[in-house]
Amino acid sequence: MPRPATLLLCLALLLSLPAAAQVEDETSYRLRDPVAEQRAREIGKELRCLVCQNQSIEDSEAALARDLRRIVREQVERGATDAEVIDFLHDRYGDFVLLRPPLRLSTVLLWATPGLALLGGLFAIWRVRRRSSGVAVTELTEAERARLAELQGDQRA
Amino acid sequence: MSEATAKKPSRRKLLIYAPLAVAGVAGLGFWAMLRGLQDGSFDPRGVPSALIGRHPPQFTLPGLDSSGLPPLASNDLRSFDRPIIVNFWASWCVPCIIEHPQLMALQRQGVPILGVNYKDRPADAQTFLTRHGNPFLRLGIDVPGRVAIDWGVYGVPESYLLDREGVIRWRWAGPITPEVLSQDIAPLLRRWGA
């Protein structure tokens, strides 16, 4: 049994949903089973809203996102696995609907960029360190050697 | 001076130009993106259709009774011996009004246009057709919007071009402007009509 405060919070959230401006006005759709609802929410967070594009369908208030949320819940209720639900929408909307892009030839660069940036940084560090250590072992010229001996002689004297 | 120390300054001098080269390449890429945005070949918000090269999903939609047009089902899409256009629209959609004259022009050319009315009130849809004219051979009404989702529609208007075998060859999300009509649809009709 959830605490009264939790219930109140849920109620406040429910009531604060803005009225949708679409012709067909549906109330938000939730599964009674909290475990299934949680699973539907997790699936929804993986799916991109195609209208607003920078939100998942769980976060978006677009009418299409609402429809997609409903589809996800219907399929979860029917006992579909997470992969089956995601495949259903992937079949219709392609890679674009996935917030986590799949690894394939066209997305290799996308996935490799962090690694490449890291390698580039390591390379830069290696270059800088090699250069500074290179300066340290530079041979002195004859004139410098003589001047050094002179200075050291002065100190000892 | 040894050979190694003589080489170093020239290589360093080249390195000074490296950021310039990077900026140059980035600038070129940016310019290409801007050009693409201008002529419409690059759309960062565009969702490529997953159905290109595939048959549309199976569906049966009820018709708009007041229009007297026959309803639409997936089997109807193969009954033409030429490329067809499937158009998703709604009376509440402003870009649909912009594209309507182009649909009427296509209809006058004899291109079969099959309509799907998306999440609309039947009376509103009928008013729209009466006011702007009817370009459709058949019209299905999709009030829940489920058939549209099966097609991968993410907004209205959206249009699909199907070849004579009923395979989806092209999808346009947004209004069919006169430019889209002459630069995209006309060549596609020639290509898939032969």
Side-chain angles (χ1 to χ4, degrees):
Chain A
M1 184 65 197
R3 284 180 300 156
T6 319
L7 277 175
L8 208 70
L9 188 68
C10 289
L11 194 70
L13 281 171
L14 272 173
L15 292 175
S16 67
L17 287 175
Q22 197 83 55
V23 172
E24 168 219 17
D25 202 355
E26 283 179 57
T27 47
S28 70
Y29 183 85
R30 270 152 212 229
L31 295 176
R32 289 221 187 93
D33 175 7
V35 180
E37 172 63 25
Q38 186 56 37
R39 193 158 77 84
R41 226 168 269 187
E42 293 300 325
I43 296 170
K45 280 182 191 155
E46 294 287 317
L47 299 167
R48 179 191 211 164
C49 168
L50 297 127
V51 182
C52 14
Q53 303 204 344
N54 283 331
Q55 286 180 307
S56 76
I57 60 166
E58 284 299 313
D59 298 327
S60 171
E61 269 309 313
L64 182 67
R66 198 150 32 93
D67 289 349
L68 297 183
R69 279 201 294 273
R70 185 179 271 260
I71 285 177
V72 168
R73 276 154 184 78
E74 279 171 10
Q75 299 211 351
V76 166
E77 206 165 33
R78 225 179 285 148
T81 64
D82 293 10
E84 279 168 354
V85 179
I86 288 173
D87 280 351
F88 177 88
L89 286 166
H90 184 241
D91 276 352
R92 285 155 181 74
Y93 290 101
D95 288 349
F96 220 91
V97 81
L98 306 175
L99 279 171
R100 218 189 287 260
L103 182 60
R104 52 181 69 145
L105 209 64
S106 58
T107 59
V108 162
L109 195 62
L110 177 73
W111 280 99
T113 301
L116 289 177
L118 191 70
L119 282 178
L122 287 175
F123 178 71
I125 291 172
W126 176 71
R127 282 291 305 256
V128 168
R129 298 196 80 177
R130 203 185 59 153
R131 188 176 301 158
S132 56
S133 64
V135 167
V137 296
T138 304
E139 294 276 314
L140 296 178
T141 60
E142 276 307 314
E144 284 169 340
R145 229 183 273 268
R147 173 92 180 115
L148 186 66
E150 199 184 299
L151 288 170
Q152 281 172 335
D154 282 353
Q155 254 175 17
R156 262 176 228 143
Chain B
M1 251 189 194
S2 71
E3 212 182 72
T5 46
K7 239 183 191 172
K8 255 188 180 168
S10 67
R11 252 171 87 190
R12 270 187 153 170
K13 249 182 205 161
L14 274 180
L15 266 177
I16 292 172
Y17 295 108
L20 256 173
V22 170
V25 171
L28 236 112
F30 191 61
W31 178 77
M33 268 166 70
L34 283 180
R35 282 238 7 191
L37 279 172
Q38 219 162 29
D39 65 20
S41 59
F42 171 68
D43 178 12
R45 288 180 64 87
V47 180
S49 175
L51 268 72
I52 301 293
R54 282 163 55 180
H55 282 285
Q58 292 291 313
F59 68 90
T60 309
L61 285 173
L64 183 66
D65 292 335
S66 57
S67 68
L69 291 168
L72 186 65
S74 39
N75 288 339
D76 301 325
L77 302 176
R78 295 194 207 188
S79 52
F80 301 91
D81 199 27
R82 52 184 303 170
I84 58 167
I85 302 262
V86 177
N87 177 253
F88 290 80
W89 66 283
S91 70
W92 46 263
C93 137
V94 178
C96 296
I97 301 173
I98 297 169
E99 85 168 358
H100 208 74
Q102 284 69 254
L103 292 181
M104 296 304 288
L106 278 168
Q107 183 252 342
R108 280 193 298 273
Q109 287 170 31
V111 177
I113 307 175
L114 306 162
V116 178
N117 179 240
Y118 177 75
K119 290 200 175 191
D120 213 345
R121 290 194 195 92
D124 292 349
Q126 184 54 53
T127 308
F128 185 97
L129 291 181
T130 311
R131 187 177 298 163
H132 302 288
N134 168 50
F136 306 114
L137 277 183
R138 284 177 171 273
L139 181 61
I141 56 174
D142 185 15
V143 175
R146 285 302 171 92
V147 170
I149 287 176
D150 283 343
W151 280 71
V153 169
Y154 67 104
V156 278
E158 215 167 280
S159 303
Y160 293 77
L161 188 133
L162 277 63
D163 68 13
R164 52 171 66 195
E165 314 295 332
V167 177
I168 297 175
R169 294 299 175 187
W170 177 81
R171 191 274 299 264
W172 184 257
I176 295 173
T177 57
E179 291 76 37
V180 174
L181 191 61
S182 59
Q183 286 164 23
D184 294 277
I185 296 182
L188 282 160
L189 286 173
R190 277 197 298 275
R191 179 173 170 200
W192 298 107

